[in-house]
Amino acid sequence: MSTSAFVDVIVERDVPVPMRDGVRLSADVYRPAKGGPCPVLLLRTPYNKADAQTMNYAHPQWYARRGYVVIVQDTRGRWTSEGEFAPYEHEAADGYDTIEWAASLPFAEKKVGMYGFSYCGAVQWLAAAEAPPHLACIAPGMIGSDAYQGKTYANGAFALAALQSWVLFAAQDTALRQGRGDWASELSAHYAGIHGFYKKLPLNEPPEPMKELAPYYADWLRRPLRDEYWAARSLRERYESIDVPALHIGGWYDLFIEGTLENFNCVRSRGASEHAREHQYLFVEPWFHMPWSRYVGELDFGPEAANRIDALQLAWFDWWLKDIRPDNPPPKVRYFEMGSNVWKEANDWPPERASRGEGRAAYYLRSACRANSVNGDGALSEHPAGEEYPDVFVYHPSIAVPAIGGRSGAVPELTPMGPKNQLPIEIRNDVLVYTSPPLDEDVAIAGEITLELYAATTAEDTDFVAKLVDVHPDGRAYNITEGIIRASYRHGLDKRVPVPSGETVRYEFSLGSAAAVFQKGHAIRLDVTSSLFPTFDRNPNRIANPGEVTEADFVTATQTIYHDAERPSRVWLPVVTTS
């Protein structure tokens, strides 16, 4: 089969694919006009098969010209497919049935690979867990491990921006399918004005079209604890069923990066066979959810960060579907190191290049008087404090600290995403700012950043938020990672326990994973506050269902952050050698 770009491609549109329950899903099929049979690439999407996720990937014809049958299918209840849309509910069975149907086509080899990111990555995992006989490999991009943690909630905080923007977008197709153009227009208007929409309370009383067309949104709000509902929808519960090689594609500013890393590590250790466990590969760029580019937020990560995913995937599928083995075995892990803007290779994640003990270096929160804002005297030090006064700030949900950049969603115009200068929020007194002296040498990190925080609050519940920030010599301050904990979840995600008023509580929570170099002359900074809006919902400082909260529930919380010999608040950085 020629791989010339001039190979003609036959396109068959709206091909019906029967499911076991009689529902027919619609697919577009792209295949080389001559030669064959050819192995199959399958992309199952709720976002319109005609689009085929071409914001990030090459068009299906590009893959077809290189010797593949490419099938792009609308998932159940979406666009041209029959059935009712219920997120993730039918994707395992529908994926299995589609894979086996594809393998039976007369122009197809009986080898199927899958690709796609976000929801289209989740459908790969759900299908793979059903062990369809003709699925040979997958390439899931930017998808998490758990339906609750890291997707719908984060340590109890509701992922407001990601979910509201997604539901408003998804429900528009449902409205059009039901002939409700008026509802589609209303949803589109809310989508366009989403920054005001985020502030509307209560969350469980959305506009009528959203309530009627996306009942799953109300289900998510009604279940703020991780229970059997979430477990039944999580890949985390299915690792032992995965029996295919997988290329895990992630981005350091993607909201699902922690789940991507977990999927890689857990299938390596718990997959169904040695074949699967031995053939998990991880590839992490500095990107956010979309689009994929060297330009992320306000930073240019250089030519090495350009989007070359299609070439990577082509080599992957050639290996597993055409038995064209690479000349040299690829590394298990390839990751982009931000700051130095170079690629690194490793056998594991996190890499075994620790320079200090187990690689965890403590940087202590310090202040002489008050760390409030960038105008204060907060410091980040490698030396623990002796006796120091705590830092105090006030959080009221009506004036929540806005999220600038970060890992909140899918569309940078609608949700806070990527690296951005944090100075506009660091001038606020309800943000504590702890900054190291300018560095005498590069400090490289690769792994998970965690915060050990000793704090008291006057409220029965509240949030604590922290960001790791790279401060440039000219004062610009770019976020690297962020994390949140809802205080009432400090004993686990399956229960809420009030916080004793004024009592010092030790919190330990993740700020996420990263690979980055703080360069010589830069400084390391930690920002601490109590809100990250609209990335997460505003905690009213009371224990309440997130869907039922109104402005009348808002109360003020006075927060005290301790950093002394007995209460050494500190951020743990996974410091590695730079060799």
Side-chain angles (χ1 to χ4, degrees):
M1 174 67 65
S2 171
T3 59
S4 166
F6 298 101
V7 170
D8 288 334
V9 174
I10 296 173
V11 182
E12 299 176 79
R13 300 198 184 278
D14 300 323
V15 178
V17 184
M19 299 293 103
R20 65 189 66 177
D21 61 357
V23 170
R24 294 183 304 174
L25 306 186
S26 182
D28 293 342
V29 180
Y30 304 79
R31 57 187 174 92
K34 297 180 181 179
C38 300
V40 177
L41 300 183
L42 173 62
L43 170 63
R44 304 189 62 249
T45 176
Y47 304 123
N48 191 348
K49 61 182 172 57
D51 172 79
Q53 293 204 310
T54 51
M55 179 176 285
N56 289 346
Y57 298 110
H59 193 274
Q61 294 189 40
W62 185 89
Y63 287 97
R65 291 191 176 103
R66 285 153 179 81
Y68 288 95
V69 174
V70 185
I71 299 173
V72 186
Q73 181 189 68
D74 286 330
T75 55
R76 181 180 294 241
R78 302 295 293 167
W79 303 89
T80 59
S81 286
E82 297 176 353
E84 297 297 323
F85 179 56
Y88 309 106
E89 293 292 326
H90 301 281
E91 305 302 359
D94 287 354
Y96 183 107
D97 292 350
T98 302
I99 290 163
E100 295 308 299
W101 171 85
S104 73
L105 295 172
F107 43 78
E109 287 188 10
K110 295 186 181 299
K111 287 185 177 181
V112 179
M114 297 182 75
Y115 74 101
F117 79 103
S118 196
Y119 193 104
C120 306
V123 301
Q124 296 176 60
W125 286 118
L126 293 170
E130 297 295 303
H134 295 103
L135 181 64
C137 66
I138 59 177
M142 295 191 175
I143 190 59
S145 58
D146 191 56
Y148 177 93
Q149 180 73 343
K151 178 183 179 292
T152 311
Y153 291 86
N155 293 330
F158 185 67
L160 180 71
L163 297 176
Q164 283 197 340
S165 62
W166 187 84
V167 170
L168 284 172
F169 174 78
Q172 291 178 50
D173 173 59
T174 307
L176 293 173
R177 289 167 62 89
Q178 295 185 10
R180 293 301 304 264
D182 56 333
W183 278 2
S185 296
E186 183 179 343
L187 291 166
S188 179
H190 289 307
Y191 193 67
I194 200 166
H195 296 290
F197 188 82
Y198 290 142
K199 297 179 180 179
K200 294 182 179 180
L201 295 174
L203 299 179
N204 64 1
E205 293 184 8
E208 183 182 3
M210 188 170 164
K211 183 182 297 185
E212 293 296 322
L213 302 173
Y216 43 84
Y217 175 71
D219 290 342
W220 300 340
L221 286 168
R222 281 195 295 266
R223 297 177 177 273
L225 302 179
R226 191 183 188 278
D227 57 15
E228 65 282 351
Y229 172 91
W230 300 109
R233 290 157 174 78
S234 295
L235 174 60
R236 185 177 286 171
E237 318 296 328
R238 295 175 168 89
Y239 291 130
E240 288 81 3
S241 300
I242 302 300
D243 198 17
V244 292
L247 174 63
H248 305 249
I249 299 168
W252 290 131
Y253 286 97
D254 179 50
L255 71 165
F256 296 127
I257 182 59
E258 300 309 313
T260 299
L261 299 174
E262 181 182 359
N263 291 341
F264 166 73
N265 281 322
C266 289
V267 178
R268 284 188 85 188
S269 61
R270 293 164 50 190
S273 67
E274 182 178 355
H275 174 70
R277 294 190 294 272
E278 284 295 314
H279 293 293
Q280 302 298 308
Y281 296 86
L282 177 65
F283 183 83
V284 187
E285 284 271 15
W287 303 333
F288 47 35
H289 204 62
M290 65 179 187
W292 298 347
S293 166
R294 60 185 277 181
Y295 306 103
V296 186
E298 296 176 1
L299 294 181
D300 175 7
F301 287 105
E304 288 297 309
N307 183 357
R308 300 186 180 94
I309 286 296
D310 294 297
L312 179 73
Q313 288 194 157
L314 185 64
W316 174 254
F317 292 128
D318 282 351
W319 181 8
W320 296 108
L321 303 181
K322 295 184 176 181
D323 202 26
I324 303 174
R325 297 182 177 274
D327 294 334
N328 297 304
K332 295 294 185 183
V333 178
R334 290 192 68 207
Y335 65 93
F336 191 88
E337 184 179 73
M338 300 180 292
S340 64
N341 294 350
V342 299
W343 284 98
K344 299 287 187 177
E345 298 180 354
N347 292 321
D348 302 285
W349 182 264
E352 294 182 0
R353 296 190 293 114
S355 65
R356 306 181 184 183
E358 296 181 355
R360 293 217 316 165
Y363 283 76
Y364 294 85
L365 281 60
R366 305 285 303 272
S367 71
C369 179
R370 56 190 298 271
N372 305 77
S373 87
V374 73
N375 301 309
D377 60 11
L380 203 60
S381 173
E382 296 181 84
H383 305 289
E387 296 300 319
E388 288 186 355
Y389 287 111
D391 293 307
V392 179
F393 68 96
V394 172
Y395 160 58
H396 194 283
S398 64
I399 49 173
V401 176
I404 301 179
R407 297 173 167 177
S408 73
V411 182
E413 293 80 15
L414 305 179
T415 57
M417 293 166 58
K420 292 193 174 182
N421 191 354
Q422 300 299 302
L423 286 176
I425 64 164
E426 290 175 339
I427 61 174
R428 294 175 54 134
N429 274 342
D430 53 357
V431 178
L432 304 182
V433 179
Y434 302 93
T435 309
S436 76
L439 298 172
D440 294 329
E441 59 182 14
D442 290 355
V443 174
I445 60 172
E448 184 180 24
I449 297 93
T450 58
L451 178 62
E452 182 182 350
L453 188 71
Y454 293 83
T457 180
T458 57
E460 68 173 7
D461 191 21
T462 196
D463 289 348
F464 290 105
V465 171
K467 290 182 185 178
L468 184 67
V469 178
D470 179 12
V471 184
H472 290 225
D474 62 3
R476 289 174 297 143
Y478 291 105
N479 51 300
I480 295 178
T481 62
E482 61 197 34
I484 188 170
I485 189 168
R486 187 145 290 179
S488 59
Y489 288 82
R490 66 196 181 280
H491 297 304
L493 302 179
D494 59 347
K495 55 184 173 294
R496 302 185 72 176
V497 180
V499 182
S501 180
E503 182 176 307
T504 304
V505 175
R506 178 185 178 275
Y507 301 91
E508 185 166 359
F509 60 101
S510 175
L511 305 191
S513 299
V517 173
F518 295 91
Q519 295 178 313
K520 179 181 178 180
H522 289 222
I524 304 171
R525 175 173 290 170
L526 186 78
D527 293 341
V528 177
T529 187
S530 284
S531 49
L532 191 65
F533 181 77
T535 300
F536 300 107
D537 68 320
R538 293 164 288 178
N539 193 325
N541 294 321
R542 292 178 174 177
I543 292 182
N545 185 295
E548 299 172 357
V549 171
T550 70
E551 288 85 351
D553 297 307
F554 289 175
V555 296
T556 301
T558 299
Q559 322 287 49
T560 303
I561 306 300
Y562 295 92
H563 42 82
D564 53 42
E566 295 184 356
R567 295 163 291 191
S569 293
R570 50 196 164 180
V571 61
W572 291 93
L573 300 185
V575 175
V576 296
T577 59
T578 57
S579 61

